[in-house]
Amino acid sequence: MKNIVILISGGGSNMAAIVKVARREGWQEKWRARVAAVISNKASAGGLVFAREQGIATEVLDHKTFASREAFDEALSTAIDRFDEPGQPALVVLAGFMRILTPGFVSRYEGRLLNIHPSLLPAFPGLHTHQRALDAGCKVTGVTVHQVTADLDHGPILAQAVVPVLAADTAADLAARVLTQEHLIYPRAIADLLQK
């Protein structure tokens, strides 16, 4: 079984989209793949409720209780590794996980650590992407699914979707339109990986 472990920090809408598509499209039957666990660094993350309702294992690791970023990442690795099957290491999917991961963590999951970013990378890595796109006068923006490397938001691109920027857009308007594309592109990018 190819286990997928999803990391979240908040509402988990991308996680929910992945779970729904996986079930609707029968990933378990087609590719022996399933969302096995959802892990959050915040006990208040709304996505944990959805995951539990779906019968998915959940865990909370509060990053504030760890002495260092490295200590947190080590505990996170231990939690993820419980879902590694022999010869089938888990796919680790960041879905609104608002933590910068250490190089050691990224190296440990190299090639199987994915992220989604709300811009057309390499444009606008980091935070406040929608406002930055508006400030730059962009006519289009979008979303990128990429493999995670030690460089923030700079890993190999797996998929992108373009979203037009409208004249009257606020950052919130743009974020809402980009999010609808995130929910489509992230499950598709994961499915493409599972088929290989």
Side-chain angles (χ1 to χ4, degrees):
M1 182 63 63
K2 183 74 167 182
N3 286 327
I4 300 167
V5 178
I6 303 179
L7 309 184
I8 65 170
S9 291
S13 68
N14 273 310
M15 174 270 299
I18 293 164
V19 169
K20 290 173 185 175
V21 170
R23 293 216 169 127
R24 186 175 66 240
E25 295 183 357
W27 289 5
Q28 191 159 337
E29 295 75 25
K30 283 185 191 174
W31 305 306
R32 296 189 41 75
R34 68 182 180 128
V35 177
V38 174
I39 302 172
S40 179
N41 64 315
K42 294 184 177 183
S44 62
L48 292 170
V49 174
F50 173 85
R52 289 182 193 120
E53 289 171 349
Q54 303 305 307
I56 298 168
T58 62
E59 188 164 345
V60 175
L61 292 170
D62 183 352
H63 63 276
K64 294 176 185 173
T65 64
F66 291 87
S68 68
R69 191 176 297 275
E70 289 77 14
F72 172 75
D73 282 4
E74 186 57 38
L76 183 58
S77 294
T78 299
I80 292 167
D81 291 350
R82 283 198 288 273
F83 298 94
D84 279 351
E85 301 283 341
Q88 288 284 341
L91 186 63
V92 182
V93 175
L94 307 179
F97 189 64
M98 302 306 288
R99 299 286 303 156
I100 295 175
L101 299 164
T102 59
F105 182 94
V106 172
S107 174
R108 181 177 189 145
Y109 297 102
E110 183 177 2
R112 58 187 175 113
L113 182 59
L114 308 181
N115 187 38
I116 191 162
H117 183 75
S119 78
L120 292 173
L121 292 174
F124 309 120
L127 299 175
H128 312 296
T129 56
H130 307 300
Q131 189 59 54
R132 289 163 60 202
L134 291 172
D135 293 346
C138 293
K139 300 298 181 196
V140 295
T141 188
V143 58
T144 303
V145 177
H146 65 95
Q147 289 185 332
V148 177
T149 64
D151 295 324
L152 181 67
D153 297 331
H154 280 90
I157 293 171
L158 302 176
Q160 290 183 307
V162 175
V163 175
V165 178
L166 306 178
D169 271 345
T170 64
D173 297 332
L174 198 50
R177 278 205 318 287
V178 168
L179 188 61
T180 63
Q181 291 302 308
E182 290 180 33
H183 294 166
L184 298 173
I185 193 174
Y186 214 177
R188 192 176 321 132
I190 295 168
D192 288 347
L193 272 182
L194 293 172
Q195 292 178 65
K196 294 181 179 175

